[in-house]
Amino acid sequence: LDEGFYYGGAHLFLAILQASRPKIAGGDLGMARRHFLRARDIGQGRFLMTEVYFAQYYARKTFDRDLFVRTLRHVLEQPVDTVPELTLLNTVAHRKAAEMLAAVDEYF
């Protein structure tokens, strides 16, 4: 009922759902991208897991190495403690982004 709840969490969920399913099973990468971008807009860049999931589920699925790397580097450049309630999750996002960047050659 409130698309802004928890930094656009509903849009993030729908984006992951759309990106993780194959087209034959109802997945839609265009719709996934729109939901990821809407979640990003709502969260105003404060919830870094949105970016990590965007790289993981969208950039990898579309084989866009540049987008993948650029998105994860952006995550690592952001401070984790701008929103106190997100410090733990943003710290996890930093660690996950670093792990995914280290494995970029395995993905692409």
Side-chain angles (χ1 to χ4, degrees), residues 30-50:
M31 186 177 292
R33 181 177 175 83
R34 288 189 295 278
H35 281 296
F36 275 122
L37 296 178
R38 184 65 184 139
R40 178 190 290 166
D41 288 345
I42 290 169
Q44 299 173 350
R46 295 174 294 185
F47 185 47
L48 298 178
M49 286 303 293
T50 299

Side-chain angles (χ1 to χ4, degrees), residues 33-91:
R33 181 177 175 83
R34 288 189 295 278
H35 281 296
F36 275 122
L37 296 178
R38 184 65 184 139
R40 178 190 290 166
D41 288 345
I42 290 169
Q44 299 173 350
R46 295 174 294 185
F47 185 47
L48 298 178
M49 286 303 293
T50 299
E51 301 300 320
V52 171
Y53 289 139
F54 180 67
Q56 181 178 356
Y57 290 99
Y58 181 79
R60 278 181 59 188
K61 186 91 173 224
T62 59
F63 302 104
D64 191 335
R65 182 185 177 120
D66 292 335
L67 178 63
F68 181 84
V69 170
R70 190 172 60 246
T71 301
L72 295 176
R73 284 185 180 156
H74 174 75
V75 168
L76 294 173
E77 293 169 357
Q78 303 308 307
V80 297
D81 58 356
T82 55
V83 179
E85 70 184 54
L86 292 176
T87 300
L88 176 61
L89 287 173
N90 284 343
T91 300

